[in-house]
Structure formats: C-alpha cells, structure tokens
Amino acid sequence: MSLTVAPPAERGTLTRGPEDLSPWSRALRDDVAAHATAYDERLLLVAESFRATADEPQRELRWAHSVETVLRRCPVRVRVGERLVGWHPNCQSDEATRASLQEARAYLHSQQYWCAASEGHLALDYPAILQRGLDDYRREIEQRAGEAGDEAQRVFLAAARQALVALQGYIGRYAELTATLAAEELDPDWRAELQQIAAICRQVVGGPARTWREALQLAWFCLLGVCLEESEIHHCFGLGRLDQWLLPYVVADRTARRLDEAELDDLLDQMQIKCNEFSGRSMSAVIMGVAGRRPDGSSGYNELSHRLLYSSCRVRMYFPGLDIFWHRDLPADFVRDACTLLRNGNGQPSFFNDDLIIAGLRRYGLPYEHAVDHLPSTCTETSIQGRSNPWVAWPYLNLPLALLGALYGGVRPDDGQPVGPATTLPQTYDELLAAFDVQLKHQADEAVRRGNRDQAVAAEARPFPLLSCFIQGCLQQGRNISHGGATYTFLQPEAVGVSNCVDSLAAIRTLVVDRQRYSLDDFRAALTANWEGHEALRRAVQRDCPKYGNDDAWVNDLFAWVAGRWCDHLEGQRNHFGGPVFPGFLGWTVWIQFGQQTPATPDGRAAGEPLANSLAPASGVKLRGVPSMLLSASGLDHARGLGGITFNVRFNGASLAEPGGPERLAAIVGTALGELGLYMTQIEIASTATLRAAQERPADYADLYVRIGGYLVPFTLLGPAAQNEVIGRAELAL
C-alpha cells in the first residue's frame, strides 16, 4: 500500500524543502549546518584513559575503560526544539587545546591505538536492541561470563559489560538533563516535550522500546555510542533498514490510537538532520536503506519507505545517503517518487538490485533470512545488518598497472620497478592476455595476503567491546568483533580501473591484430614516452578504436573476461577468520590517486590522469546512449561483485524536469536492474554548465553534490582532477 501524501507545493518536486520543516526542526537544521565538526577532544579523554590503564595487560579492558571515560565525560546538550536527543559533540579548539591534541595523538600512536584496518561501515542489530533493551544484554553478558570456558572469553565479556554499562550511564545523563531543563523551562510546549523526552530516556536506559519514539531514541543512542567508541566522527556507521525495524512500533502506536502523524514526520526529519552533526561537509557517508525484501520473500516496502523519501526532500542535507533496494514488486508510484526526489539536486537516492544481491549472498551459504538484511556498507560494498564485520574496500588494487606489468614483462615502463611476477615480454595479443591473467592472479593473491595480515593486526590493536554487544555472534562466541566474533566476517578487495584495461586491450587488438597498423613494440615505445612523439598512434587509439560502453559485442565480451577473471581469482579464497572474500570493483576516490601513480596506458590515457571509476565507461568516452551503456555492462554476472560495484549514469537536469521525466528514469532503472541484471545504478543530475560554474564560483555551490565511488560528495571539495573527471562523464538525455 502506498502512502497518501499531500500534493507537492513546488512543481516537479516532492516538497518545498526545508521550508516544509517544523520551526523546531528548521532551527535544528540551521544549528547543525553552522556548527557540526568532528569531536576531536574525544582523543584527550582516550589518551587520559590509556595513560591511567598503562599497567593493564589486557587490551580489551584498556579499550573498555576508554569507552567508559568518553561516555561519562563527553559534553551533553539539548537544543530548544530538539526532540530526538543525543548530541554528537563538536570541536571548536583554541590554540592550547590544539597543542594538547597533538600531544594526545602522539601518545596514542605510541600505544598503537590506530592501525591499518577497515572499521565501521556497518549497521547494528537494531531489531534485537529495540526488542530486548540494554538491561537484557547486560544480563546475558553476566550469565555468559559465569559460564565462560577460558580467560579470553572472560576478558571480552568483562570489557563488553563495562562498555555497555557506560552507554546506559550516558543515556541516564540525558534523562537527568532533560528533567532538569523541564523543571526550569517557562514555555509550556517545550516543557511538556522535555518531560516526555526525560520519560523516554528513563525507559530506554535499560528497558525495551514500547513505542515508536522510544524505538527511534534507543536506536539513536546506540548508534551514537558506537560512533563515540570508535572515532571522532560517524565512522561510516548507518541506520540500517530503518523502515523495517521502526514499522512495528508505528503500527502498534497507530492501532492503540496514540500515533501523532505530524510528530512522526518531524522526528524522522530530525533523525536525518542529526546524521549531519558528526562532522562538517566531507567525503564520507552515513547510509539508510529502504524497501527491499522481507525474510519471507515478500516486499519490504511500507509506509515508512515512502515517508523517508519525503523526509529526505524536506531536509536536503548531505547525510544520510538514501538507498532504494529495488525489486519488481515495488509500487510504481514509489519508484516514480524516488526518481522525482533526484530533481532537488541533492543526488538522492541510489538504486540497488535487491534480488540479485540476495542471490549472490545465497551462493556463499547465507540463509535467505540473513541475506535480505544486506546493506551497502557505505558506498556499495556488502554488509549484513547486525551480523557482520564487512572489512570493506580492503585493499584497493590497480588493474591498469597490472596490465602494464604484463606488457613490460612484470615491471613498470617508467622506472623499471617490479609490479608483479616476471613474465615473458609478449609479442602477440594472445601472449599479452595470458601475461595479464598472471598479473591479475598475483594482484588477487596479494590482496588476500594483505587483507589477512591487516585483519590479524587489527584483532590485537583495535577491539570494540561496545560494538560487539550489538553484532550477532560476538556475545554468543565470547569474542570481540575484531577477533572474528561476528556471525559473518568478510574481506572485500577492490579492482580499480577495469574500463581502462578493457579499452586498452580493445585498442591493441584493433590496431595490432585486426588492422595490423602497429605492433606491441610500438605501444611500448609510446607508453614509455608518455605518448610524446607518438601522437599518430594516440589519435588512432582515441578515434579509431571501439570503447567499452557502446555495446560492441566483442568489447562487451572483453569486459566480461577482465572483470570475470578478477572474480575467478578471488572466489573461494578465505580471510583471516575463515570468512569469504568478495570481489569488488569500487573506486571511492582511489581512482584519482592511482591515476597519479600510473604511467600512460594503451587506452590513450596519459600518465597521471585519473583511472576509470568502477564499472562505468571511462570519462570522456563518447557514448551512443543509455541503452548501449547499460548493455555493455550486462555480460558480467553482477552477483559476483558483492565487494561493491558502482555504475554512474549522468543525465542533463533539464531532461528529468520535463513532464514524464521521472517515469522515464524509473523505466531505465527497471531495465538496468530488472532486465539487464546490473548490481546498482546511481544517477547524477548536473549539467556541464553547472559544474563549470561551480569550479569558477565554489562558494555559490557549496551544496552541489556529485556521485563518487558509491556515495555523494560536495563537488567543491574535490580536487581539480576529480572535478574534471566528473565533468568528463557522458551527459545523457532521458
């Protein structure tokens, strides 16, 4: 059933934006936008705690003490009109504080507080948290501690209890603060609200959620707690499948005739606003997913799925990222409204192929009822809500460098340094393919080796006792999430620059094999010289050779071979904790950095230029249109790419604003995901003229967001090379 909503106040949009927020929420939005920063002073508390426990031999207990210190002493605050409480502190440091922070960081480095690790990027087990309440978790910990069979389990459970009790104390601080503020408040409306908030906090400090407001408040406190445990910002934790875990409480309150519909919308707005108070504008993400499937296979779409679209349109802030878990059974008006939401220019939402991702997870033995709770970890990598430690994007691998290694016998063309195993200098196209496959396998094996090494190091250095309470498997096994305690621990290496490899191989086959105009030695000479003195060959590559993205059958097959061989070399391997390794193709912003480090490549790219981003065609490639672009990617079984795939499609904003634009875009999404089997698609609505103007006048375009590596980033925060790569993407019409 679709949600009945008021007609949009602005033609072609769902809402009028922040103008439609309540006065309280509008004021909260303004405050967050003006003052949100990272909570750097947290490090002062952590360093103090680590010094106080310097003689404690158990790392987990030292960590638990630091969590307790942070939650007991971090500032608490409630702003007028803030109905969802729990403030992530911001940092406005003076010179003395900055000096203290520098000293704290140096000390924590000496304690190996940080290490190379993939952390966060997941969602808690919100359904269980809300149903059980924190006291029930504490009782389970105490019972398991009494039954623990070894010292490691006892240490873990002691640390978990200390951190959990600290979270309860933190919630209690808000119960006391709101009660005190209520006693002093003169405005009767705000006083009554504060009294209600105080009662909610007193309930959720230990008990389960009984109403939708208690559910939302408890979930927020737990999210905030694990963020404060791990870092000074949000650490890419997310809200999970909010429309699923909150719905039962909304339905129960409506049945009991105690649901205020306007209050529900207002609190959903404030929740989305508060996702932005972890830091200022940055290149990161907090994710919320809606719709998808339920454990019984039915559609998970519900009224909250739709309400959250409208809330996102009212709030119009950077976070949270909104991901639609698309399947064929979604109501047409919901998909249309999701496409309409893109008209406001904030880049929300993205669309994920729910049934395909579920099927991919089932191949690894996950039961259906777990697979349906998949989430993009931050960009597009895979996690399971409340059950996984995803180890996303770990590590990134440079595939064009592997191709150069194959072309040059295992070394770089610029300095002769090894990039992989020594292979025979190829003289034919077939020899090049064979050598490239050897280099690909080396890259894949190296990725797993590095990932396993880093997982082992992180297990010793970075335990998270509070987070472990809320991830299934940890308490049951008596093991920290960093020690492999989660039900599922993944490792997700990412191949960067696939499209560059495909276009490079296509150019070599066309000019060396099919037309016999050049030799591999000619290509080697041109690349060594960074194309200088070889302009004719470069023009031939750029003008006369087919490119991935235009539905040339043999180029499509070449793409499927390159991407498929990456998957072949990773599938079946195991991570440090025995979990699966998911092949991925995510580029985040690494394609820019890798490009700076990569010599010229046979696709016509010069040394230092950015690589291609994930599985979309390389920037600057002239495309025949949307159908050919989508068809080119469909030769790969995208269910193999659970480590993350991004597929950016850029449209001219005017085409979406035309009558029927959202309906046409909804049809394209349905074709891409439902007919062609793409993993996901994300839509960018920004004209070249707008992007050029933002380069010239960045202050006027602070809220212009573009899609990079699976999530939104402020365009003006990108460097010139990245901005030009976005501008170079083909601008298509609907």
Side-chain angles (χ1 to χ4, degrees), residues 58 109 192 377 410 682:
Q58 298 293 343
H109 273 297
S377 297
Q682 51 190 18

Side-chain angles (χ1 to χ4, degrees), residues 259-311:
L259 178 67
D260 183 325
E261 303 285 351
E263 181 185 46
L264 173 59
D265 286 333
D266 195 40
L267 268 290
L268 292 177
D269 292 344
Q270 292 207 1
M271 179 272 301
Q272 296 208 43
I273 291 168
K274 286 171 68 64
C275 285
N276 294 273
E277 67 185 9
F278 293 96
S279 64
R281 292 162 62 250
S282 61
M283 293 192 289
S284 189
V286 175
I287 296 298
M288 171 177 63
V290 299
R293 296 284 185 189
R294 292 170 52 81
D296 63 1
S298 62
S299 175
Y301 167 83
N302 61 58
E303 63 171 278
L304 292 180
S305 313
H306 224 137
R307 274 188 129 116
L308 288 166
L309 290 182
Y310 279 76
S311 177

Side-chain angles (χ1 to χ4, degrees), residues 401 404 408 411-417 419 527-528 597-600 607:
L401 200 56
L404 290 174
Y408 285 83
V411 301
R412 295 173 60 101
D414 50 358
D415 58 16
Q417 292 299 309
V419 296
L527 299 180
T528 301
Q597 301 167 356
T598 305

Side-chain angles (χ1 to χ4, degrees), residues 371-449:
V372 295
D373 280 339
H374 71 87
L375 292 166
S377 297
T378 301
C379 296
T380 65
E381 319 95 312
T382 299
S383 68
I384 309 297
Q385 178 178 267
R387 292 188 173 95
S388 69
N389 185 3
W391 273 82
V392 304
W394 206 266
Y396 293 100
L397 281 301
N398 186 332
L399 261 60
L401 200 56
L403 178 60
L404 290 174
L407 190 59
Y408 285 83
V411 301
R412 295 173 60 101
D414 50 358
D415 58 16
Q417 292 299 309
V419 296
T423 49
T424 302
L425 197 71
Q427 298 300 322
T428 67
Y429 177 74
D430 288 340
E431 289 175 357
L432 175 61
L433 287 182
F436 181 41
D437 195 40
V438 171
Q439 299 293 338
L440 272 181
K441 185 177 188 307
H442 171 78
Q443 289 263 28
D445 292 344
E446 176 65 11
V448 176
R449 186 194 68 79

Side-chain angles (χ1 to χ4, degrees), residues 38-348:
Y39 176 37
D40 290 339
E41 282 94 336
R42 169 188 172 276
L43 291 175
L44 300 178
L45 298 176
V46 174
E48 177 186 321
S49 172
F50 264 59
R51 286 189 174 101
T53 58
D55 294 332
E56 171 57 61
Q58 298 293 343
R59 183 78 167 187
E60 287 181 273
L61 295 178
R62 294 187 75 188
W63 201 281
H65 188 275
S66 74
V67 175
E68 179 183 20
T69 301
V70 170
L71 293 177
R72 177 166 37 87
R73 293 177 48 193
C74 70
V76 293
R77 175 191 181 199
V78 176
R79 291 153 284 198
V80 173
E82 185 178 9
R83 308 172 81 180
L84 181 67
V85 299
W87 171 62
H88 187 271
N90 56 45
C91 178
Q92 309 293 336
S93 301
D94 55 22
E95 185 174 348
T97 302
R98 287 192 291 272
S100 297
L101 283 168
Q102 185 176 1
E103 181 185 7
R105 289 190 180 98
Y107 170 73
L108 291 172
H109 273 297
S110 74
Q111 300 296 300
Q112 292 79 49
Y113 181 74
W114 296 284
C115 68
S118 175
E119 300 167 351
H121 296 80
L122 55 85
L124 310 182
D125 188 3
Y126 293 112
I129 293 169
L130 304 182
Q131 184 178 11
R132 295 179 58 182
L134 300 183
D135 277 347
D136 194 51
Y137 280 91
R138 180 171 50 79
R139 286 189 290 268
E140 179 185 354
I141 292 170
E142 292 168 351
Q143 178 181 346
R144 291 187 181 279
E147 301 168 352
D150 58 53
E151 180 64 15
Q153 289 180 323
R154 286 190 287 272
V155 169
F156 162 69
L157 292 166
R161 185 186 187 283
Q162 183 175 3
L164 182 67
V165 170
L167 176 62
Q168 291 184 283
Y170 175 74
I171 298 172
R173 294 174 66 195
Y174 272 97
E176 294 173 4
L177 175 60
T178 49
T180 299
L181 292 174
E184 300 169 352
E185 181 58 48
L186 299 179
D187 179 82
D189 292 336
W190 182 228
R191 181 172 63 247
E193 186 66 33
L194 285 167
Q195 290 170 340
Q196 184 178 5
I197 295 170
I200 291 171
C201 291
R202 285 192 295 270
Q203 168 61 28
V204 302
V205 74
R210 302 167 303 182
T211 67
W212 74 264
R213 279 200 66 169
E214 291 176 357
L216 197 63
Q217 184 63 74
L218 178 55
W220 180 258
F221 275 137
C222 291
L223 173 63
L224 192 55
V226 298
C227 291
L228 289 169
E229 176 183 39
E230 290 211 21
S231 77
E232 293 72 64
I233 59 170
H234 53 74
H235 221 63
C236 297
F237 286 105
L239 296 160
R241 298 168 60 89
L242 187 149
D243 60 340
Q244 306 299 305
W245 55 255
L246 189 59
L247 180 68
Y249 299 92
V250 171
V251 171
D253 284 354
R254 183 179 289 122
T255 301
R257 300 180 181 275
R258 58 175 179 251
L259 178 67
D260 183 325
E261 303 285 351
E263 181 185 46
L264 173 59
D265 286 333
D266 195 40
L267 268 290
L268 292 177
D269 292 344
Q270 292 207 1
M271 179 272 301
Q272 296 208 43
I273 291 168
K274 286 171 68 64
C275 285
N276 294 273
E277 67 185 9
F278 293 96
S279 64
R281 292 162 62 250
S282 61
M283 293 192 289
S284 189
V286 175
I287 296 298
M288 171 177 63
V290 299
R293 296 284 185 189
R294 292 170 52 81
D296 63 1
S298 62
S299 175
Y301 167 83
N302 61 58
E303 63 171 278
L304 292 180
S305 313
H306 224 137
R307 274 188 129 116
L308 288 166
L309 290 182
Y310 279 76
S311 177
S312 180
C313 192
R314 286 190 296 270
V315 171
R316 298 192 188 184
M317 296 186 78
Y318 185 27
F319 298 141
L322 181 61
D323 293 331
I324 307 294
F325 300 141
W326 184 95
H327 55 74
R328 297 176 186 275
D329 300 331
L330 291 179
D333 60 338
F334 172 68
V335 180
R336 180 204 63 216
D337 284 352
C339 293
T340 301
L341 180 60
L342 285 159
R343 279 178 165 171
N344 67 30
N346 273 41
Q348 305 287 7

